[in-house]
Amino acid sequence: MIVDYDRHVAVDDYARLFEHMSQSWRKHFERDEFVGSVRDGAAHIRLTDRFGDEVLEGSEPGQEIGLSVAVPHQGLTINGWADQVAAKAFIGALNSHSEHVWADGGARRAAILVTPHDPAWSARVIRDYGAARQFAAVALPLSAVLLGSEQFDPVYEAAVETDLPLIVHFSGVEGHYLGAPPLSGGVHRTAYARAVLMPQLAESHIASLCFGGTLAKYPPLRVLFSGFGFAWLPSLAWRLDREWRTFRHDVPWVRKPPSEYVFDQVWLSSWPVREAAAEWEPLLAGSQAQARVVYGSHAPFDGDTVADVRAVLGADADDVLGRSGVLPAVMAGARA
Amino acid sequence: MPIVDCDVHPMYERLEDLAPYLSASWWRHFEDRGVRTYARARDRYNHPNKTYRVDALPERGGAAGSDPDFTLATHVLPFGIAAALLLPQQPYGVTAWGNPDAVYAFLAASNDYFRDAWVGHDDRYTLAVTISPHDPAAAAREVRRHAGQPGIVGIQLLLMDRMMGDASFDPIYEAACETGLPVAVHQSGSEGCYYTSQAVAGGVPRSYGERHVVLTQVGGANLVDMIVSGTFERFPQLQVVMVEWGFSWLSPLLARMDLFWERDPGAAPLVKRRPSDYAREHFTFTTQPLDEVETRQERAALFGPEGLDKMLLFSSDYPHYDTDDPGFVIRSRIPAAIREAVCYGNAVRVFGPQVLRGADR
C-alpha cells in the first residue's frame, strides 16, 4: 500500500471553521481582516508576492494511494501568529473540521494539529483524538525553540502513548514573521532564498532531538520531517557523528552515534523528488539515509505524483513508496 | 607535491605587540579599556575542553599559535607545508565591538603586526588582511593599503548580522576585484550569540557540540545570499573562499537552488544563470573539518559531486582542537585523482602564484 505522508488540505473560507468554535471565539474571529487572510495561511511559501494562489479544499488522493495523511497547513501558520491563545481556538476548529470533513477514517486521514506554545494543552489534544480513526499523526508547527527542549516532553509522551508519529512541516513564515523560527544567516529578502534554505530547519531540529536526548529518551518516538527534501541527510549524519565523537562527554545521555538514532526514528518525505535527479547517486545510493525517505506528494502544491517518484528514482522508487516504518500499526492493519 | 594549508591561525602574544602600530591615543584607549579578542559568548557556549591543541603551546610560553618559529617547527616543516595561509583569530572579537573607529585602529595594527612578525619572518607564511563590516569604506581602504605587498594573498572578511549579498559590501568587493585578492570567510565564533551576528536555523542550540553540527548552515546561507543578490553579476571577478564551513552540504543545496530556479526563474530576478554555475565559478571550500566518512562508498560520495575537484582547498585549522592531520588527511582521505588540485592547484588559481613564494626552500 502506498501512503502519501505529505498531503495538504485547507479551508477556502475561514467562516467554515466557525461552527467548530465557541460563540465567543467565533465573535473574535468574525472580522474582515482575519477572514480575508485565508489565502495568506493557505499560500505556503509564496515564490511570488501575488496573493493569487488557489485554496484547494481537500483534493482527492491519486488512484494508487492507499492512504493519505492530510496536514491542514493553515494550522501550521500559527507559528507566525502573535496571539497564541487564539491560535489554540483556531487549530482546535481545524482539528474538528478534519474529523468531520477531510478525514474519513479509511484512505483519508489527518494529522492532529497541536501547538509548540502550549505542550500540556497539546498533549491533551493528542490524547483526545488519538484513538479516533480519522487521525494518523500529530502535526507540530515549529516555534523558535528547538525540538530537543524538554518543554516538549508532554507532546512526545502523548505521541508515544497514542502510537502516533510526529509530522514536522514548515508553514512558510519561518525566517519571515517575527517570532517564527529563524532561518540561518541573517535576513533573507526573497521567498526563493527561504525555500532553498528551509531544509536547514530540519537539520537543526534533528541535531537538537539527538543532542538534547529526546530520541534516546523516547525510543518509540517517530518523527517525520516533511517537505524539507532529503538529499542533505548523509551530510548531516556525518557531521552529527563527528561532533558527537568530539563532545560526547558533554552529552552523556546520547549513548550511541546520533546517526543511529536518526536512522531508527526519523523519516523524511520525498518531495521535491527531483532533488535526487542530481544527488541520489553520489550521496544517497545504498546509504542508510536513503532508507529514511517515504513518499510525500506535497499536493496540491507543486508536488510529485507516484509516477514522478518512479521516473526519478527508478529501481529505488518501490522502496520509498512501500516503506512502512512511519505507520507500522496502520500498515499492518492493527490500527485500521 | 607542495602543500598549501589554507587555514592556519597565528596569534600575537601580548597586546603590547600591537603598540608600535597604534597611535598614542588608541594605544592608551586599548591599554586602559582592554581588548576583547574572542567572539563567541563563552557564558553561552562554553567549549567543554580547550579550543586549542595542548601540544601546540609554544615551549617559550604564550598561547597556541603565538610563536611563528614553533608553528614552523611543529606544523609547517614536519608536514612539508609550502605555504600557510594565516587567518588571525584575535580580530574575530571585533564582531562584538560597537565602535567602528576602534575596530579599524585595531584591525590595521593587527594586520601590520602579522605582516611584519609572521609574513616578514618566513616566506612560507602568507596573510589574509582582516576587515570587518563595521565600515565598508574603511575596509576597502585597508585592503588597498596592503594589496601588492609580498605575502599578502587574500582578504579575511569577518561577518556580522548582514549577509554577504548585501549591497553594503560592494565597496569591499570592488577593492577585492581591483586588487585581485580573494575574500576568505571564516566563522568567528559570534554566530548564534548576539543580535549583531548571524544565526543557525531553527532556534538556539543547547551546547557547543550541537551548535557546531549546524554552524555550517551560516556558510550556506551566505552563499545563497550572494547568488540571489546578484553579487557575481556585479563582480564577475570576485572569488570567495569559504573556510571551515564544511562542503558536503553543498551539492544538495545547489541541486535545490537549481531546481527551484528552473521551476520559477522570476522568483530570483537577479540570478541570470543556473545558480550552481555561480557557485562553481566563484567559491572554493577548505577541507577541514573533513567529514569522517566510514566506507569507500561514502568517501566516493563525499568527493563525488561534479566540479568539486576544482572547489576544494586543503586546510588543517592548526592549532585548534579539531586540527585535521595533514599527513593522514592528504594520504588517506583525499582521493589521489584530485590530490594535487586540492593540495595546491586550486590554491594557486585562487590566491595566485605568489601563494607559493616560499616553495623553493
Side-chain angles (χ1 to χ4, degrees), chain B residues 38-57:
Chain B
Y38 60 91
R40 178 167 39 87
R42 293 175 178 178
D43 51 353
R44 178 176 170 93
Y45 290 116
N46 12 78
H47 193 288
N49 197 338
K50 294 187 186 311
T51 56
Y52 56 85
R53 287 166 48 170
V54 177
D55 66 351
L57 290 170

Side-chain angles (χ1 to χ4, degrees), chain A residues 47-48 143-146 148 170 181-190 192-193 195-201 203-205 207-208 211-212 227-229 231-232 235-236 238-240 242-243 245-247 249-251 253 271-272 274-275 278-279 282-283 285-287 302, chain B residues 47-49 161 163 166 198-210 212-218 220-221 224-225 228-229 246 248-249 251-253 255-261 263-264 267-268 275 288-293 297-298 301-302 304-305 321-322 324:
Chain A
L47 294 189
T48 164
S143 72
V145 178
L146 293 170
F170 53 84
L183 295 178
S184 69
V187 178
H188 297 274
R189 289 191 201 80
T190 64
Y192 168 78
V196 162
L197 292 168
M198 210 52 85
Q200 294 182 341
L201 270 183
E203 293 179 348
S204 294
H205 285 285
S208 176
F211 278 66
F228 293 100
W232 42 268
S235 172
L236 176 70
W238 290 329
R239 187 123 179 134
L240 280 169
R242 179 185 167 116
E243 299 303 327
R245 181 183 55 70
T246 307
F247 295 110
H249 58 295
D250 214 25
V251 285
W253 46 86
W271 178 86
R274 278 173 292 167
E275 274 185 6
E279 307 311 320
L283 277 181
S287 71
D302 179 19
Chain B
H47 193 288
N49 197 338
D161 50 345
M163 284 189 294
D166 192 287
Q198 297 183 32
V200 300
V204 179
R206 180 174 158 192
S207 65
Y208 189 105
E210 183 188 322
H212 215 242
V213 172
V214 290
L215 196 53
T216 56
Q217 295 174 346
V218 178
V224 170
D225 192 56
V228 171
S229 302
S248 58
W249 47 264
S251 65
L253 180 74
R256 198 170 167 93
M257 284 192 90
D258 285 354
L259 181 64
F260 287 1
W261 178 74
R263 205 177 61 184
D264 185 4
Q288 183 277 342
L290 193 68
D291 287 314
E292 293 180 4
V293 291
Q297 185 185 23
E298 284 186 334
L302 176 63
Y321 73 96
D322 51 351
D324 272 354

